[in-house]
Amino acid sequence: MQNKPSPSHEESPFKGKTGLRRLVNAFGYSMDGFKAAYQHEDAFRQEVWLSLVLIPLAFYLEAEALHRILMVGSVLLVMIVELLNSAVEAVVDRVSIERHALAKRAKDIGSAAVLLALINLGVVWGLILLA
């Protein structure tokens, strides 16, 4: 006999779709996420505009394929980390907008992750352009 989890411990009611329906739903949720981040997050908006300059520039510059991959990848990494940071901030704010040491720590750690991604972008681009 298998132990079934109690209803309070079950997966989200939004889970359970499979196959093509799941892919379509997931794509829609991702587009909603991009829209929300662009509308509500200044930093993400700035990084989108930066990527619209840097990604085409990576293909314009005379660089080896591996260098282009690293250049584009470092730009995309900044955007990925920013999206995750924004998600953490939204959840922290949803729980409470009161000042709390753990909320500050969570937000500061997310911010540090974005900073590291931006430093990585600068190092990658700098090393490739100066090589």
Side-chain angles (χ1 to χ4, degrees), residues 33-74:
F34 281 125
K35 288 176 196 170
Y38 192 84
Q39 288 174 347
H40 302 287
E41 301 295 333
D42 292 337
F44 185 72
R45 247 189 326 277
Q46 292 168 347
E47 291 155 0
V48 166
W49 288 103
L50 181 65
S51 72
L52 292 174
V53 171
L54 292 181
I55 291 174
L57 183 60
F59 289 96
Y60 174 77
L61 296 172
E62 292 184 23
E64 297 177 22
L66 180 58
H67 291 164
R68 284 189 179 127
I69 291 168
L70 290 170
M71 294 166 88
V72 171
S74 67

Side-chain angles (χ1 to χ4, degrees), residues 13-14 16 19 36 55 108 112 123:
F14 302 107
I55 291 174
D108 289 351
V123 169

Side-chain angles (χ1 to χ4, degrees), residues 16-23:
K17 302 277 192 263
T18 60
L20 187 57
R21 181 83 249 154
R22 188 194 70 75
L23 292 175

Side-chain angles (χ1 to χ4, degrees), residues 92-110:
V92 167
D93 290 345
R94 167 62 176 93
V95 171
S96 173
I97 57 171
E98 293 179 18
R99 291 186 183 270
H100 190 281
L102 291 176
K104 180 179 179 353
R105 184 188 312 169
K107 289 182 172 191
D108 289 351
I109 290 170

